[in-house]
C-alpha cells in the first residue's frame, strides 16, 4: 500500500491543469538534491515544488491523520459507525476555527499565536466537543452508542448554529477570510502550513499507533481490558486528546472532510482483519491514498477550475455509509 | 491469600452485597452458589477490583486492591466475565493472544498452542470469534484468561471465573473443571460462580452460599452442602446423596410433580 501511495503521489504531481510529464517530475525531484539529469522548465519546477508538492503532502498528512483517527475512535468506542465528523470532533474544530478567523483581528491576544494559533484553537474546540459527547454518551463506564450518536448530532447542530452566529457578527474582511477557509481544501497548502501540520499531526499519529495493543484489548470490552492490565481511563484520554489534535489541525487547514475516517478503517479490516497492529498504520496509508486520489479528481475533473474535495469524499463516502448501515449486523457478528 | 472483609455494596440504598467476608487460598477452588439476584456477580466484581467498594476492603497477598495499578493487578489475577462480546471481527487466536498483554506482550506461540490445546480450541484458531458457538466462545475466553496466568510465578495468584461453563455440554463442563483442578496446583487460588450443584460438590474445595447479598454459609464442601442449607438458600426441595468415601456426591432437586409432592406429604 505504501508503494501504491508513492505511485499515486507521483501521478498526482504530474497530472493537473498544468501538465508536467512524468520524466520532468523525476527530473525536478532529483534536481532538488543537486543532480541535473533530466531537462525541465523553470515554470514546471515552480508549479511542482511550490504548489503541487505541498498540496499533496497536505493531502497525505490530513488523509492519513483522518484515517488513523477514525480507526482509533472506532476502537475506543467499540463501534464501527463512529467517525470524527459524527461525534462532533470536526464541527467543534470548525466552530473554534471560525471564531479564530472572525475575531482573530479584533482580539489582540489571539495574534500572539501566529500561524499555529488556528490549528491549536481548532484542536481546543475538537477536544471540548469530544469530551462532551463522550461524557453524555457514557454512563457508569459503559458507552451507549445511541446516546453517543444523539449527543454528536446535538453538538453538531449547536456548533453549526454557533458558526452561523459568529459569521453574522463578522466584518467584511473576516467574512472573506472565512469564505476562503470554508471552501478550503488541500489546494490552499503552502510549505509553512505543511510544516505546521506535520508538527501537529505526526506526533499524535505516532501516539495513536503506539496504542494498538490497548485498542485490541478494548475490543473485548472495557472491563476485560482492565482485567488484562490496561489502564482504560488513561488510554481513553490519550486517544481522545490525540484525535482532537489531529482532526483539529486537519479541519483548520482544509475544512471538514467527511467520511475518510469512516470508510478507510473498514476497508482495512475487511482485507487485513481486525488486529489494530495492522488496522492503524493501514488506515493511515489508505487514508492518505484516498485523499490524494480525491484531490487528484478534484483538480482534474473540471479542469482548469477545481471541485471542493469534500464533495468527492462525500460522493464516495455517503453510499458506503448507507451500505454499512444496512450490513452492520453482518459485520458485527 | 485473596481476602475480602465486610464487603458492603449498595445501589440506591438497596444492599446488593451485605457485609460479606471471603478468603480465597491459593491451591483451592472456591465456588460461589446462590439463586439469581443473590449478588454473586457483584461480589465477584468487587473481588476482581472492577467495582471499587466504599465499605470493606479487598486485599491481594496482603496489599489493598485499590493500591494496585491495572497492570500489576493483571499479574496476580485473571478474570473471566460472564459475557464478552467483540466489537470487531477478530480470529479466535487473536483473542487468546490478548492474554499475553500483561506479561510484557512478547509473542509466545508455544504458550498459546499449549493453552489452546488444553482448552480444545486450537482447531478453532483461524475462525472468526463471532462465528463460534456459545460453548466455543466460552472456551476461547477461558483460553485467553488462562494464557494470562499460565507461566509459573513465585507468588500466589488468583483466577476468577463467572459462570465459565454456562453454555457448555456435560463433557466440556467436566473438562473445564479438570483444567481448573490442574491450574490451582500452580499456587493459584480459583474462585468460580457456578449454577450446577453437582459440579460444585465434586470439584470445589470450599463453597460459599449467597442469598440476598448475604453469605449464609461458607466452608468445606462436606460441611456446607447439606440438604437443609441448600434448601434454605434456593427455596426448593433438594436431596443430597453423599455416598461412600470415593463415590461422587449427587445432588438432586425435587421436581414439582403431583405424585412427588404426595409422597413427601405422606
Amino acid at each position: 500500500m505504501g508503494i501504491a501511495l508513492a505511485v499515486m503521489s507521483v501521478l498526482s504531481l504530474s497530472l493537473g491543469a498544468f501538465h508536467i510529464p512524468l520524466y520532468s517530475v523525476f527530473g525536478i525531484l532529483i534536481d532538488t538534491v543537486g543532480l541535473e539529469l533530466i531537462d525541465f522548465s523553470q515554470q514546471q519546477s515552480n508549479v511542482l515544488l511550490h504548489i503541487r508538492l505541498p498540496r499533496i503532502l497536505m493531502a497525505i498528512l490530513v488523509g492519513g491523520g483522518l484515517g488513523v483517527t477514525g480507526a482509533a475512535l472506532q476502537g475506543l468506542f467499540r463501534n464501527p459507525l463512529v467517525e470524527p465528523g459524527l461525534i462532533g470532533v470536526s464541527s467543534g474544530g470548525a466552530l473554534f476555527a471560525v471564531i479564530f478567523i472572525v475575531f482573530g483581528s479584533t482580539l489582540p491576544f489571539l495574534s500572539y499565536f501566529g500561524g499555529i494559533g488556528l490549528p491549536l484553537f481548532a484542536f481546543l474546540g475538537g477536544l471540548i466537543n469530544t469530551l462532551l459527547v463522550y461524557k453524555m454518551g457514557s454512563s457508569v463506564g459503559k458507552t451507549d452508542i445511541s446516546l453517543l450518536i444523539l449527543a454528536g448530532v446535538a453538538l453538531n447542530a449547536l456548533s453549526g448554529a454557533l458558526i452561523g452566529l459568529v459569521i453574522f457578527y463578522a466584518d467584511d474582511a473576516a467574512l472573506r477570510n472565512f469564505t476562503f477557509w470554508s471552501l478550503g481544501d488541500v489546494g490552499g497548502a503552502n510549505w509553512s502550513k505543511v510544516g505546521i501540520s506535520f508538527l501537529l499531526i505526526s506526533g499524535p499519529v505516532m501516539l495513536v499507533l503506539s496504542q494498538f495493543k490497548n485498542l485490541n484489548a478494548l475490543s473485548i470490552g472495557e472491563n476485560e481490558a482492565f482485567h488484562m492490565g490496561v489502564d482504560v481511563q488513561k488510554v481513553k484520554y490519550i486517544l481522545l486528546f490525540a484525535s482532537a489534535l489531529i482532526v483539529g489541525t486537519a479541519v483548520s487547514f482544509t475544512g471538514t472532510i467527511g467520511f475518510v475516517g469512516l470508510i478507510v478503517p473498514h476497508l482495512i479490516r475487511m482485507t487485513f482483519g481486525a488486529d489494530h497492529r495492522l488496522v492503524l498504520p493501514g488506515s493511515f496509508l489508505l487514508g492518505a491514498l484516498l485523499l490524494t486520489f480525491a484531490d487528484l479528481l478534484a483538480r482534474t475533473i473540471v479542469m482548469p477550475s477545481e471541485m471542493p474535495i469534500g464533495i468527492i469524499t462525500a460522493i464516495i463516502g455517503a453510499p458506503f455509509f448507507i451500505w454499512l448501515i444496512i450490513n452492520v449486523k453482518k459485520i458485527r457478528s | 491469600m485473596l481476602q475480602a472483609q465486610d464487603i458492603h455494596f449498595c445501589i440506591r440504598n438497596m444492599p446488593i452485597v451485605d457485609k460479606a467476608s471471603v478468603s480465597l487460598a491459593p491451591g483451592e477452588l472456591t465456588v460461589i452458589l446462590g439463586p439469581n439476584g443473590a449478588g454473586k456477580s457483584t461480589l465477584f466484581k468487587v473481588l476482581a477490583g472492577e467495582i471499587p467498594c466504599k465499605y470493606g476492603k479487598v486485599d491481594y497477598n496482603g496489599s489493598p486492591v485499590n493500591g494496585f495499578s491495572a497492570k500489576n493487578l493483571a499479574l496476580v489475577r485473571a478474570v473471566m466475565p460472564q459475557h464478552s462480546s467483540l466489537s470487531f471481527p477478530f480470529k479466535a487466536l487473536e483473542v487468546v493472544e490478548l492474554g499475553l498483554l500483561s506479561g510484557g506482550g512478547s509473542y509466545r506461540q508455544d504458550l498459546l498452542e499449549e493453552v489452546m490445546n488444553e482448552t480444545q480450541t486450537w482447531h478453532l484458531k483461524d475462525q472468526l470469534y463471532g462465528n463460534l458457538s456459545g460453548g466455543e466462545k466460552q472456551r476461547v475466553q477461558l483460553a485467553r484468561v488462562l494464557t494470562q496466568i499460565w507461566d509459573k510465578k513465585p507468588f500466589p495468584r488468583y483466577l476468577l471465573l463467572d459462570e465459565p461453563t454456562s453454555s457448555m455440554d456435560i463433557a466440556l463442563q467436566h473438562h473445564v473443571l479438570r483444567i481448573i483442578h490442574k491450574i490451582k496446583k500452580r499456587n493459584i487460588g480459583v474462585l468460580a460462580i457456578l449454577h450446577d450443584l453437582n459440579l460444585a460438590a465434586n470439584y470445589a474445595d470450599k463453597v460459599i452460599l449467597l442469598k440476598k447479598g448475604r453469605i449464609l454459609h461458607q466452608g468445606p464442601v462436606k460441611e456446607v452442602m447439606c440438604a437443609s442449607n441448600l434448601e434454605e438458600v434456593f427455596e426448593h426441595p433438594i436431596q443430597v446423596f453423599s455416598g461412600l468415601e470415593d463415590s461422587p456426591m449427587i445432588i438432586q432437586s425435587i421436581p414439582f410433580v403431583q405424585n412427588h409432592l404426595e409422597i413427601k406429604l405422606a
Side-chain angles (χ1 to χ4, degrees), chain A residues 71 74-80 142 213-221 223-232 266 269-270 272-277 330-333, chain B residues 44-45 48-50 69-74 77-81 83-90 94-95 97-99 101-102 104-107 128 130-131 141 144 148:
Chain A
Q74 289 174 5
L76 178 64
F77 290 115
R78 294 169 37 75
N79 193 290
K142 290 238 162 67
K213 277 183 187 165
N214 294 334
L215 278 168
N216 279 346
L218 275 171
S219 316
I220 315 191
N223 290 330
E224 285 82 345
F226 166 70
H227 296 149
M228 290 186 286
V230 176
D231 188 341
V232 177
H266 282 288
R269 278 197 204 95
M270 278 174 215
F272 297 104
D275 189 347
H276 285 88
R277 191 192 313 259
K330 254 186 268 171
I331 290 164
R332 269 186 175 175
S333 65
Chain B
F44 179 91
K45 284 174 186 167
E50 193 180 314
S69 67
K71 203 174 176 183
N72 288 335
L73 196 55
R77 67 98 181 83
V79 185
M80 179 177 163
H83 300 291
S84 295
S85 62
L86 258 72
S87 40
F88 298 110
F90 280 90
E94 290 171 328
V95 174
E97 202 188 314
L98 289 172
L101 197 69
S102 58
S106 55
Y107 189 73
L128 286 181
N131 296 342
Q141 291 292 349
R144 169 179 71 80
Q148 195 178 329

Side-chain angles (χ1 to χ4, degrees), chain A residues 1 146 174 202 216 228 259 289:
Chain A
M1 206 182 307
S146 47
S202 61
N216 279 346
M228 290 186 286
F259 293 110
L289 185 66

Side-chain angles (χ1 to χ4, degrees), chain B residues 149-210:
Chain B
I149 52 166
W150 197 252
D151 280 335
K152 292 194 173 78
K153 288 279 156 67
F155 45 85
R157 288 172 300 163
Y158 308 92
L159 174 62
L160 312 180
L161 308 163
D162 193 348
E163 298 191 29
T165 58
S166 56
S167 316
M168 293 184 190
D169 62 45
I170 292 176
L172 284 169
Q173 291 182 0
H174 285 278
H175 182 75
V176 165
L177 279 142
R178 260 186 39 216
I179 296 174
I180 293 173
H181 188 72
K182 257 195 246 174
I183 194 122
K184 74 183 186 187
K185 289 182 179 147
R186 301 183 176 195
N187 202 17
I188 289 173
V190 186
L191 180 82
I193 297 177
L194 291 179
H195 270 300
D196 190 313
L197 298 177
N198 284 297
L199 285 178
N202 292 299
Y203 287 96
D205 298 294
K206 285 192 183 135
V207 172
I208 295 169
L209 294 182
L210 201 67

Side-chain angles (χ1 to χ4, degrees), chain A residues 49-51 53-55 57-58 61 113-119 186-201 249 252-253:
Chain A
L49 291 180
H50 297 292
I51 298 173
L53 190 58
R55 150 172 210 161
L57 288 178
M58 187 63 110
L61 276 172
F113 298 105
I116 213 164
L118 181 62
V186 286
N190 57 38
W191 282 109
S192 80
K193 282 183 183 175
V194 169
I196 292 171
S197 310
F198 182 77
L199 273 177
L200 294 179
I201 289 180
T249 310
S252 69
F253 285 131

Side-chain angles (χ1 to χ4, degrees), chain A residues 137-150:
Chain A
S138 55
S139 57
V140 213
K142 290 238 162 67
T143 308
D144 183 335
I145 193 63
S146 47
L147 271 180
L148 191 85
I149 288 172
L150 279 178

Side-chain angles (χ1 to χ4, degrees), chain B:
Chain B
M1 201 73 127
L2 165 50
Q3 263 179 317
Q5 246 177 26
D6 293 330
I7 302 295
H8 197 77
F9 189 83
C10 287
I11 296 178
R12 288 188 213 97
N13 289 328
M14 281 278 290
I16 307 297
V17 176
D18 194 1
K19 292 226 168 75
S21 296
V22 174
S23 71
L24 181 62
E28 285 185 348
L29 166 61
T30 305
V31 170
I32 304 181
L33 292 170
N36 293 34
K40 302 187 293 290
S41 288
T42 307
L43 177 61
F44 179 91
K45 284 174 186 167
V46 172
L47 292 175
E50 193 180 314
I51 315 181
C53 69
K54 278 187 205 147
Y55 310 101
K57 58 174 190 163
V58 179
D59 287 348
Y60 274 86
N61 298 337
S63 317
V65 68
N66 44 17
F68 280 87
S69 67
K71 203 174 176 183
N72 288 335
L73 196 55
L75 293 174
V76 289
R77 67 98 181 83
V79 185
M80 179 177 163
Q82 214 166 341
H83 300 291
S84 295
S85 62
L86 258 72
S87 40
F88 298 110
F90 280 90
K91 288 179 191 160
L93 180 66
E94 290 171 328
V95 174
V96 179
E97 202 188 314
L98 289 172
L100 294 170
L101 197 69
S102 58
S106 55
Y107 189 73
R108 298 268 309 279
Q109 173 82 24
D110 55 326
L111 192 154
L112 293 176
E113 191 169 342
E114 194 184 337
V115 175
M116 290 184 82
N117 275 324
E118 192 71 41
T119 50
Q120 300 181 359
T121 48
W122 184 245
H123 64 288
L124 304 171
K125 66 180 162 61
D126 291 322
Q127 291 194 33
L128 286 181
Y129 179 82
N131 296 342
L132 301 178
S133 75
E136 288 169 336
K137 280 181 185 164
Q138 266 185 328
R139 266 144 63 207
V140 169
Q141 291 292 349
L142 182 68
R144 169 179 71 80
V145 172
L146 288 174
T147 303
Q148 195 178 329
I149 52 166
W150 197 252
D151 280 335
K152 292 194 173 78
K153 288 279 156 67
F155 45 85
R157 288 172 300 163
Y158 308 92
L159 174 62
L160 312 180
L161 308 163
D162 193 348
E163 298 191 29
T165 58
S166 56
S167 316
M168 293 184 190
D169 62 45
I170 292 176
L172 284 169
Q173 291 182 0
H174 285 278
H175 182 75
V176 165
L177 279 142
R178 260 186 39 216
I179 296 174
I180 293 173
H181 188 72
K182 257 195 246 174
I183 194 122
K184 74 183 186 187
K185 289 182 179 147
R186 301 183 176 195
N187 202 17
I188 289 173
V190 186
L191 180 82
I193 297 177
L194 291 179
H195 270 300
D196 190 313
L197 298 177
N198 284 297
L199 285 178
N202 292 299
Y203 287 96
D205 298 294
K206 285 192 183 135
V207 172
I208 295 169
L209 294 182
L210 201 67
K211 187 184 180 185
K212 290 183 182 155
R214 305 178 74 110
I215 295 179
L216 295 189
H217 304 280
Q218 65 174 319
V221 173
K222 290 254 151 72
E223 288 172 26
V224 173
M225 293 194 74
C226 60
S228 62
N229 284 352
L230 292 173
E231 283 182 357
E232 180 192 357
V233 169
F234 289 101
E235 296 178 5
H236 187 92
I238 286 170
Q239 275 187 324
V240 178
F241 306 95
S242 301
L244 296 166
E245 274 295 294
D246 289 332
S247 61
M249 214 164 146
I250 295 166
I251 298 173
Q252 178 69 53
S253 52
I254 314 288
F256 281 130
V257 180
Q258 204 61 38
N259 52 2
H260 280 279
L261 287 177
E262 276 166 13
I263 291 166
K264 226 190 164 187
L265 290 172

